Amino acid sequence: MSSENKSYEDFLKWKSYANWIIPSEPLLEVKSLNPLCGDEVKLYYQITEKKTIQIKAVSGDSCSICAAAVGFLFKNQSLIQYEFIGSYGIERKKFLEGNESSLFGDLEEISFLRIVRTHSSRHRCALLPWQTLEKIIEVKK
């Protein structure tokens, strides 16, 4: 199996970490669009009593890289603290630019980001879910 096919299979596995079924329950939602490629990410979430964010589901039409990143956002979030929302995307961006990060320790996500790191034109695809998460702060205001 070629490494390209293996990467694509991994991307599909990573995408599957998210709940892609649009919920029937009323939830808050936020959406982002990458105008360069057309990737779209929508997050369905709720704010808990402890003022944390819980992502319940995702939707959107995007490339395999963006969809895999959505999977990691969904998988690695338990209850997201407002004060850390900005740092999630920043740390991943630093990693893609060649700097190691201690913010997250998911070895699968690190493997994913190392693959994407070699394709600078696709960094925006991998960061779009995290930028969508940051929009929750804007919506909250």
Side-chain angles (χ1 to χ4, degrees):
M1 175 182 295
S2 75
S3 64
E4 192 171 292
N5 286 342
K6 173 73 171 117
S7 293
Y8 187 72
E9 286 180 6
D10 285 340
F11 288 174
L12 290 175
K13 177 181 78 171
W14 296 329
K15 173 185 177 179
S16 74
Y17 292 151
N19 174 17
W20 290 88
I21 300 170
I22 298 173
S24 58
E25 64 185 290
L27 295 169
L28 300 167
E29 51 187 78
V30 63
K31 175 174 89 170
S32 287
L33 176 70
N34 181 346
L36 296 177
C37 67
D39 283 350
E40 179 183 82
V41 172
K42 187 181 262 188
L43 305 177
Y44 300 90
Y45 67 97
Q46 66 184 19
I47 299 174
T48 68
E49 293 175 8
K50 295 181 181 179
K51 303 291 185 207
T52 57
I53 298 165
Q54 184 175 27
I55 300 170
K56 303 293 268 182
V58 300
S59 69
D61 188 20
S62 61
C63 69
S64 60
I65 291 172
C66 185
V70 169
F72 283 116
L73 180 141
F74 190 87
K75 174 189 174 200
N76 291 330
Q77 63 85 29
S78 48
L79 296 175
I80 298 168
Q81 303 289 326
Y82 278 118
E83 65 264 23
F84 298 121
I85 286 178
S87 63
Y88 294 125
I90 290 169
E91 289 299 316
R92 283 158 179 84
K93 183 177 184 213
K94 285 181 187 177
F95 189 92
L96 289 172
E97 292 170 346
N99 302 309
E100 296 299 318
S101 172
S102 62
L103 179 64
F104 57 98
D106 184 318
L107 296 180
E108 278 188 302
E109 185 176 8
I110 291 170
S111 174
F112 162 70
L113 291 172
R114 283 193 176 126
I115 292 167
V116 177
R117 183 188 273 177
T118 63
H119 304 284
S120 60
S121 65
R122 305 305 297 275
H123 289 188
R124 288 180 140 210
C125 301
L127 294 173
L128 186 63
W130 305 101
Q131 292 164 344
T132 307
L133 181 65
E134 290 174 18
K135 281 189 162 187
I136 292 174
I137 295 172
E138 296 169 24
V139 170
K140 181 90 168 100
K141 292 178 184 177

